[in-house]
Amino acid sequence: MRTEMTVRPYHPDDEDQVVNLWKQSNLVVPWNDPVQDIAMKVAWQPELFLVAVQNEVVVGTVMAGYDGHRGWLNYLASGRLGAGKLLVEAAEARLADLGCPKINLQVRETNKGVIRFYQKLGYTIDPLVSMGKRRKI
């Protein structure tokens, strides 16, 4: 019997399931330690680190953030049909409650399926260049 999928904030007991889901979703890259990324998020706006759960199993994740100017979505992973949409909508609602006027996210340009997914949810491609500077932490 399948129970309804629910969204709730991340709990430390979720760590192993989250890391495994991220690995299955190809979100783990050599330059990002998933356990360290979780620790950093739990230290900053932990209420915006959401998991989708069904039958006590983590089936999706999203890390949202808000800096007072823009919101961001990171680490969206979906292991069940509908989990991604449910998580994006939950993150959008929490960011709206904080007064966030715009949400940004980044998708590798080769990931066409994910780009289409976000477009179906109303996201558009902004005419800009994404830049970054990595530092060892």
Side-chain angles (χ1 to χ4, degrees):
M1 181 174 117
R2 290 182 94 151
T3 59
E4 185 175 336
M5 201 178 321
T6 59
V7 173
R8 63 166 171 76
Y10 168 88
H11 187 273
D13 293 340
D14 299 327
E15 183 176 286
D16 289 341
Q17 290 186 69
V18 167
V19 171
N20 286 332
L21 179 62
W22 288 354
K23 287 178 180 177
Q24 292 168 8
S25 302
N26 296 316
L27 293 178
V28 175
V29 292
W31 53 88
N32 287 79
D33 175 353
V35 173
Q36 186 177 41
D37 286 353
I38 289 170
M40 288 188 300
K41 183 60 190 167
V42 170
W44 179 258
Q45 296 179 323
E47 69 281 5
L48 295 178
F49 184 7
L50 305 175
V51 296
V53 179
Q54 188 174 40
N55 296 328
E56 300 182 34
V57 175
V58 174
V59 297
T61 67
V62 68
M63 281 186 182
Y66 181 52
D67 62 13
H69 182 66
R70 295 286 185 255
W72 283 89
L73 298 182
N74 295 291
Y75 275 114
L76 178 68
S78 174
R80 291 270 198 300
L81 186 62
K85 183 176 187 280
L86 188 66
L87 284 160
V88 169
E89 289 172 346
E92 288 173 342
R94 284 164 174 79
L95 291 169
D97 288 347
L98 294 172
C100 177
K102 182 175 187 276
I103 300 171
N104 294 325
L105 55 90
Q106 294 176 317
V107 178
R108 289 182 182 91
E109 64 184 349
T110 57
N111 202 340
K112 304 297 185 195
V114 171
I115 293 168
R116 284 190 298 275
F117 165 79
Y118 281 114
Q119 287 174 323
K120 287 179 184 175
L121 296 178
Y123 288 79
T124 59
I125 297 173
D126 287 340
L128 51 84
V129 173
S130 178
M131 298 176 71
K133 181 177 181 181
R134 192 169 308 281
R135 68 178 185 88
K136 185 105 172 127
I137 53 173

